[in-house]
Structures are given as structure tokens and as C-alpha cells.
Amino acid sequence: MDEVTLDPLIVFTPSGKRGRFPIGTTVLNAARQLGVDLDSVCGGRGICSKCQIQPAYGEFPKHGIAVTPSALSNWNETEERYKRKRGLKEERRLGCQAIIQGNVVIDVPPESQVHQQVIRKAASTHQITMNPATKLYFVNVAPPDMKSPVGDYERLKQSLHEQWKLDKISTHLSLVSKIQTVLRKGNWQVTVAIFSDHQNTEPQIIDIWPGLHEAGLFGLAVDLGSTTIAAHLTNLNSGEVVASAGRMNPQIRFGEDLMSRVSYAMMNPNGYKEMTNVVRQALCELTEEMTEKSEIDATLIVEAVIVGNPVMHHLFLGIDPIELGQAPFALATSNSMTISALDLSLDGMNSLGQVYILPCIAGHVGADAAAVALSEKPERSDKLTLIVDVGTNAEILLGNNKRLTACSSPTGPAFEGAQISAGQRAAPGAIERVEISPETKEPRFKVIGSNLWSDNDGFHDALEEIGISGICGSGIIEAVAEMRLAGIIDKSGLIGSAEQIGNNRSIQDGRTHSYLIYESNTNDGFKIAITQSDVRAIQLAKSALYAGIKLLMDEIGAEQVDHVILTGAFGAHISTKHAMVLGMIPDADLKNVTSSGNAAGTGSLIALCDISARAQIETLVRQIVKIETAIEPKFQEYFIAANAIPHQTDLFPNLTKVISIPNRSFNVGKHGNNKNRRRRKSRSN
């Protein structure tokens, strides 16, 4: 029998959308058919360059494909002409010119997306003590004297000792080479920036200016997430955040979740170096964006503090993360580190600037969790506090002033809109809020870019320019929770038929049903529906999260928690009520369930501005009890029980006091999924 030859598979990141297309299809046409957010205004003639894409090559175990350089057609004359006249970044192609010839993974960079993503990672406002590691010192330096042949650098150090009591000062050769010019330009009066951290290392001269330098110094607080990178340019004198910027982590094209990226590193020689290069370049581009926005000289950025989960931590440092993909999940280094920007190829800041990396807590609990602890300070509370940094890899802290525990849970990207049929990242046009009437089963929703609900007058006029393009993470959470509250899905997560729920918005979708949220009134047939697969994806993600929390509660010996804090780019923007209805978090008094913004980003900001905070977190990390969910025997048991919405066995008395959850079951009767299903007879060999 002849083998069936399948058309090539094309996978788009960061959307996660995929499909098979005949050889000869352009990437742009494939994107349009799949509803991928890829811009084009010239009709595919290779003129506008809006459809720039970046193919990724190598082994992709998650997608079950290997991508070779022959997956796309060769570079053509149109692309060459465009690059020659207007420039095209290395490895970029024009989607309208690149023709599919084999399985391929395509990344759509931020500038090629019609709907620019909203990076929801602003650092929260905290009262911060200003005690930065790098400070300015104004000194008078004695001019040279033929009777005392001492070098200019040595006389500068002597002046710093006499006037500021600074000893054992060092610097880089590149700065020594400019000292003479600056001293003479300043008529022997100069301002120097000196880095001296909490570890009592030798003070280092970072830069020098003639006369009195009054422009100040700046630093970067960076939250390096699996999905998004957020950076905050901060005044090191006042602590003011003068500019913020964020973008998708470009590593997504190598894998949406952490283990996919580890697999890419395993399967592709030097694959980890590719991921290191793209994330460092992204940070440089973010820094350039912020300096242009704030009109600040990049050489004045003399410090950076960076936090991230262990895989992001290793990849940023240029360390192969392969050991983090297998037990015992060994870190190459867990301690904090201070490294020069020069060694990290961060050309967006002062080359002699210093980069501080917070310590990691464990093999799957990283420096970002340490930053969350620094921001929220659970160790200072007598109340049992649960802190959940919700993301592709959820990191969880539970404890109080007696004991603090931590773990991570592999929730995957569903919470952020990936692996959802109409899912997308948070961007203008994405549904972000959903309400469903329990009586009529009719939905109303809000879209990013408008303050109006869909049933308000003027809603469609307000959205005429941005349109409705999909549903983001907060929207999918609210939609599934509202479907449960309205009796559209039962405790097991099964969507009822139109007859069972009493509304034709439940539509037949193969052997299951989908619930229609939105349908375009144009002829394009565009729909946004919550499918049974979407519900299952959310169930799997929330079950992993809840199971991790249960393991920490076991470790503490607690039956309930007093306070729940949701953090992170996603966690800070979801409804706490809907999170509990889904069973993402354990039962608690809803008034004690709060969101705290980007706590990891805030922690990095605190560490940037106050070196004593660095010492505090280094001490605290050594005291945290770490739980490795991957090897805990009860994880699977807790995971299965948490599949129900909100839970199979755990009661939610605080929640049910204020919210009524219907007791429905759709897995019976004429329209049930199992009753009329034919049992497959086992075949004996």
C-alpha cells in the first residue's frame, strides 16, 4: 500500500496556530488562512516589508517535525532588492516571497503583527529605599608634577581615598585610556561613577565625566519571562521609572513552554546559543527603545538587575539548560551573580556597567520567584500567604513568618491565550472580559482597546479600526468560569448541547460542542467560540497549578490559606473570583484574594535601587523549603482531582457563600457524549 504523503506542516509562533499547506503556498497566504496576525499592506508585492517573518531551523520534538534550510524557497530578487534599498535584518524573510517547501516553524516578530501586543508587566508602586550600588563622586585631582611622577589614574584613586574614603579601587583598561583627556577637560575636577555592592567587592570605576556631572545615573530592572520580557529604565537617584518597554520573548519560536526549549537545546547542537543570542538582542532592542523614548544617553545606564525562571536564567547567561530537563534538575549555579555588561554583550548600556542576577531558589523555581518574595515579603506576615506568579511556568510561594515553601508547576501557555482555538496574546482587538447571563445564556464582552461592553451603544463604532481578532488569557479564564456559572459546562468541564443549555449558542462541533461568543456580521464567517478542547486545555493548566499548591499546603500542614496574591503579566489581570470558580486557587475569603501586578518586576526594581535588599533575598532564599513537583508521588493524584471545576473533592465554602454554582451533568441522555458512543471491540491477535 502506498504511503500517504502529507502536505508540509507550518507552525506559527507566538500564536501557536498551525496547519498543513501544499508546497508552493507563500507563508503570507498560509498565515491569512490560519488567521495569524501577520501584517501586509502592499498585496504581497514585496514593497511594504510589513510581512517580515523569521524561520526557525532544527529539531522541534513538541511539534514532531525537523526543519531544514530547504523548508522555504531560496532568497529571491525581490527580497534582495528590498534589503539593498531599505535593509532587512539577518535571518528575516518576506512572508509574501517565502514559499513553503517543507515542514517549517515561523516566528512573527512584534513589528510584523497587525495588533501590537499589550505587555502587561508594569512594575507596581512600592516604597523603595534608595541605596544603589553605583553612585557619583565629585573629586578634585592634583595636576601632574614632574617631581612626583605618579600617573593620572593613581592620582585619581588617591583623591577618591582622601576625599571619599574609598580604597582598593579598580577599573577596566578602556576607562584608563580616557582618564587623561577627561581630567584635562574638567580642569582637574571630575565626576566618577563607582560601583560598590553589598558583597564588599573592590569598588570599580564605571565611567568618568569632566567637571560636575548632573545628568544622573540610570539602571534597568528586567523581568525575563518565558513568554514576555519587561524592562523598566529607572533613575538611580530617585527610583523613578522613566520609561518601560516590553515584548514577546523571541525564544518562543524555539518552543512555547520551557521543556520545549530544553528539548530544542538537546536536539540541536549549539541550540542554546541561538536562544541566548536572541534574548540578549531583544533586551538590547528594548533598552534602545526606552533610551529613545526618554532621550537618555545609553552610557548613563550603569546597572541592570535581571530575574527569570531557571531555564531563562541559564539561557540568558549562555549556559546549556539540558540538566534542567531531567532529574535531579541540577542548576549550573544557584547563587546570585554580578557580571559586566561587556561579558554579556549588552551593548544597549554602558559597557562597564554591572548586571546583578538574583539567586535561584531551586531547579524549577528561579530568580523571578526570589524577586516575588522580595516584593511581597511573605516571611514578615503572621498570616499564611499564598503567592502565585501565573504564567507558562507558574511559580508558587506559600508561608508566613514561621516557614516559607516554594515550588513550580508546568501550567503551559494556555493561560496566556496559546493552544486555544481563537486564542491570542493580549493586544488591541482581543476579548479580555466576558460575562454570561445564567438565565438567557447570552454573553457580553469587552475588548482591549475599548472601555465599552459589547451590548453598549457605540461598541461596534468604537471598534471599527481595531476590530475583534481573538480572545486573550484573561478572556478565556472568564469565559470558561462564566460558562460554569451559567450552567453551560458541567463539573467535569463538558459543554452541554443547545437543547441541554437552552440556547443555540451551543453548536455541534464534531462529537462535542462549542459555545459561540462572537460571530462577525460580515461575509468572512469569522467566529470566536470556546471549544471543548479549549476547556480541556484550561482544565489541564489549572489542575497543574492547583496540584502544586496542594503539595505546598501538605508541606506546611495547612488545610486552608489566609491570603492569596496573584501576580505576573497574566495573574495580575485575571478576575480573582473567576480564578477561584475555575479552581485555579484554593478556597479563601474573596476579599483576601488580591492581585499585585508584576511582583517579579517590582522585586527586580527593589534590588536595583537598594543593595541591602540583595543581601536580604540571598539570605531568605537559603531558608526556603523547596518542593520538586515532578517527583512528588501525590502530584498526579492531586492533578486528577483538580480536573473538575472547581474541584472533585475539595469544598469551597467561602466561594459558595457568595456564588451559586449549578450542579449540572451533561454526560447522560440523548445528547450525552458517552451513552450513544459505540464501544470498540478489542481485537485478538
Side-chain angles (χ1 to χ4, degrees):
M1 182 176 178
D2 294 336
E3 288 188 7
V4 176
T5 303
L6 296 175
D7 290 330
L9 175 67
I10 182 167
V11 180
F12 285 96
T13 64
S15 68
K17 293 181 178 179
R18 63 182 64 204
R20 293 190 178 275
F21 293 89
I23 292 173
T25 306
T26 66
V27 171
L28 179 59
N29 282 338
R32 285 172 171 169
Q33 292 181 52
L34 289 173
V36 172
D37 196 16
L38 179 59
D39 204 356
S40 177
V41 298
C42 71
R45 292 175 293 167
I47 298 172
C48 70
S49 85
K50 296 289 187 182
C51 65
Q52 288 186 35
I53 51 98
Q54 187 158 337
Y57 303 108
E59 298 283 342
F60 294 89
K62 178 180 177 180
H63 306 311
I65 59 174
V67 182
T68 66
S70 62
L72 295 179
S73 59
N74 292 332
W75 184 267
N76 67 18
E77 292 181 5
T78 302
E79 291 170 301
E80 182 60 42
R81 183 177 65 251
Y82 185 86
K83 182 177 183 180
R84 186 171 60 250
K85 290 184 176 181
R86 301 180 62 181
L88 199 61
K89 291 182 180 179
E90 287 298 319
E91 300 180 354
R92 291 278 179 90
R93 298 289 304 272
L94 297 182
C96 63
Q97 302 299 310
I99 295 172
I100 299 169
Q101 297 183 156
N103 297 332
V104 65
V105 175
I106 296 291
D107 180 53
V108 181
E111 59 269 33
S112 298
Q113 297 172 19
V114 180
H115 302 89
Q116 296 294 306
Q117 183 180 4
V118 178
I119 302 295
R120 300 173 162 187
K121 280 200 169 189
S124 300
T125 302
H126 274 54
Q127 187 172 356
I128 299 175
T129 301
M130 292 308 299
N131 182 24
T134 306
K135 298 183 177 72
L136 291 172
Y137 299 86
F138 178 75
V139 290
N140 291 285
V141 181
D145 186 346
M146 291 184 65
K147 295 180 181 179
S148 178
V150 178
D152 288 351
Y153 175 40
E154 285 69 32
R155 286 199 316 283
L156 173 62
K157 292 198 292 183
Q158 181 63 29
S159 299
L160 287 164
H161 168 72
E162 293 171 353
Q163 297 167 39
W164 293 100
K165 308 303 180 187
L166 294 171
D167 294 313
K168 298 181 180 179
I169 295 171
S170 63
T171 194
H172 193 270
L173 176 61
S174 62
L175 190 131
V176 174
S177 67
K178 66 185 284 189
I179 286 176
Q180 290 191 313
T181 302
V182 175
L183 282 171
R184 284 155 181 80
K185 186 175 181 180
N187 195 25
W188 308 104
Q189 291 185 327
V190 295
T191 304
V192 292
I194 295 181
F195 172 85
S196 180
D197 67 8
H198 62 296
Q199 297 174 333
N200 297 317
T201 54
E202 292 183 356
Q204 300 176 57
I205 301 177
I206 303 301
D207 214 335
I208 183 170
W209 297 268
L212 179 64
H213 172 76
E214 296 181 296
L217 298 176
F218 298 85
L220 297 171
V222 182
D223 178 11
L224 184 58
S226 308
T227 304
T228 54
I229 305 172
H232 310 285
L233 180 59
T234 308
N235 186 311
L236 292 180
N237 179 52
S238 65
E240 176 193 4
V241 175
V242 297
S244 295
R247 66 168 52 190
M248 299 295 299
N249 187 331
Q251 292 175 343
I252 282 180
R253 70 173 178 267
F254 303 103
E256 290 179 328
D257 57 86
L258 296 178
M259 288 303 102
S260 293
R261 293 180 208 178
V262 173
S263 295
Y264 185 85
M266 289 177 176
M267 301 291 290
N268 298 276
N270 296 320
Y272 76 94
K273 292 182 180 179
E274 292 180 71
M275 291 185 276
T276 294
N277 291 338
V278 297
V279 77
R280 288 181 180 177
Q281 182 60 36
L283 181 54
C284 289
E285 291 171 0
L286 281 178
T287 306
E288 182 180 358
E289 179 183 329
M290 290 186 291
T291 53
E292 289 179 356
K293 186 189 305 181
S294 59
E295 298 182 341
I296 288 172
D297 185 345
T299 62
L300 297 179
I301 304 175
V302 294
E303 275 202 75
V305 170
I306 297 177
V307 303
N309 62 58
V311 174
M312 294 300 95
H313 170 280
H314 278 37
L315 288 174
F316 179 76
L317 292 174
I319 300 171
D320 193 335
I322 187 171
E323 292 298 332
L324 295 173
Q326 53 198 357
F329 313 109
L331 291 156
T333 177
S334 57
N335 288 343
S336 63
M337 301 179 73
T338 301
I339 310 165
S340 74
L342 196 62
D343 290 337
L344 293 171
S345 303
L346 296 182
D347 55 15
M349 60 185 290
N350 192 302
S351 62
L352 299 186
Q354 300 296 301
V355 180
Y356 177 74
I357 314 289
L358 265 70
C360 287
I361 296 175
H364 282 161
V365 188
D368 51 351
V372 169
L374 186 58
S375 171
E376 300 304 315
K377 298 178 174 52
E379 79 283 0
R380 298 185 183 182
S381 174
D382 58 355
K383 296 184 180 296
L384 187 60
T385 302
L386 171 67
I387 306 172
V388 185
D389 191 345
V390 187
T392 307
N393 186 62
E395 293 183 316
I396 310 164
L397 295 166
L398 177 66
N400 51 22
N401 52 15
K402 296 178 181 177
R403 198 175 189 208
L404 190 58
T405 61
C407 74
S408 72
S409 213
T411 53
F415 283 153
E416 296 185 340
Q419 298 179 350
I420 300 298
S421 58
Q424 68 167 85
R425 308 299 181 184
I431 294 174
E432 64 170 343
R433 299 288 313 280
V434 177
E435 290 181 356
I436 301 174
S437 167
E439 291 78 27
T440 66
K441 309 298 188 287
E442 285 294 312
R444 65 196 292 257
F445 55 86
K446 288 181 73 174
V447 172
I448 296 176
S450 172
N451 291 323
L452 298 176
W453 285 88
S454 58
D455 57 353
N456 291 155
D457 291 338
F459 173 78
H460 291 287
D461 292 337
L463 290 177
E464 189 172 348
E465 288 189 11
I466 61 174
I468 301 173
S469 53
I471 187 166
C472 67
S474 60
I476 188 70
I477 289 296
E478 293 196 12
V480 176
E482 286 285 314
M483 289 167 70
R484 179 73 177 98
L485 292 174
I488 295 168
I489 59 176
D490 62 16
K491 185 175 183 177
S492 72
L494 188 65
I495 300 175
S497 66
E499 182 179 340
Q500 288 169 322
I501 73 169
N503 189 296
N504 288 331
R505 284 188 175 273
S506 177
I507 53 179
Q508 191 77 33
D509 189 2
R511 300 176 70 178
T512 59
H513 296 88
S514 296
Y515 176 76
L516 186 64
I517 297 284
Y518 166 77
E519 184 173 14
S520 171
N521 57 10
T522 63
N523 293 325
D524 61 8
F526 180 66
K527 297 178 181 179
I528 296 176
I530 307 302
T531 69
Q532 189 65 68
S533 294
D534 295 339
V535 176
R536 294 303 185 215
I538 293 299
Q539 285 179 281
L540 293 174
K542 73 99 174 180
S543 298
L545 178 58
Y546 196 91
I549 294 170
K550 287 284 287 185
L551 290 174
L552 294 189
M553 292 176 71
D554 284 353
E555 181 65 28
I556 292 282
E559 294 294 327
Q560 61 182 24
V561 298
D562 301 316
H563 187 198
V564 181
I565 303 173
L566 300 176
T567 78
F570 172 68
H573 287 84
I574 61 175
S575 157
T576 55
K577 178 188 79 172
H578 291 98
M580 192 174 291
V581 169
L582 273 184
M584 290 173 60
I585 53 177
D587 183 64
D589 191 329
L590 277 173
K591 71 175 183 291
N592 294 327
V593 183
T594 60
S595 297
S596 72
N598 180 21
T602 299
S604 67
L605 184 62
I606 293 170
L608 174 69
C609 295
D610 182 11
I611 57 174
S612 67
R614 303 182 188 184
Q616 292 169 16
I617 194 58
E618 288 170 10
T619 299
L620 180 63
V621 160
R622 292 191 290 270
Q623 299 169 356
I624 295 174
V625 177
K626 300 89 176 175
I627 302 297
E628 183 51 66
T629 57
I631 58 174
E632 284 292 325
K634 280 196 169 183
F635 181 84
Q636 191 64 19
E637 174 189 334
Y638 288 153
F639 178 87
I640 293 170
N643 262 243
I645 303 175
H647 199 274
Q648 185 63 43
T649 54
D650 286 2
L651 301 178
F652 281 69
N654 285 290
L655 179 65
T656 52
K657 282 179 186 176
V658 294
I659 295 173
S660 175
I661 303 177
N663 184 19
R664 303 292 304 272
S665 177
F666 298 131
N667 204 18
V668 294
K670 180 181 177 182
H671 297 278
N673 264 27
N674 289 338
K675 189 171 182 180
N676 292 330
R677 221 178 254 177
R678 294 180 179 177
R679 297 177 178 269
R680 293 185 179 179
K681 296 180 179 180
S682 59
R683 296 179 179 178
S684 57
N685 294 327

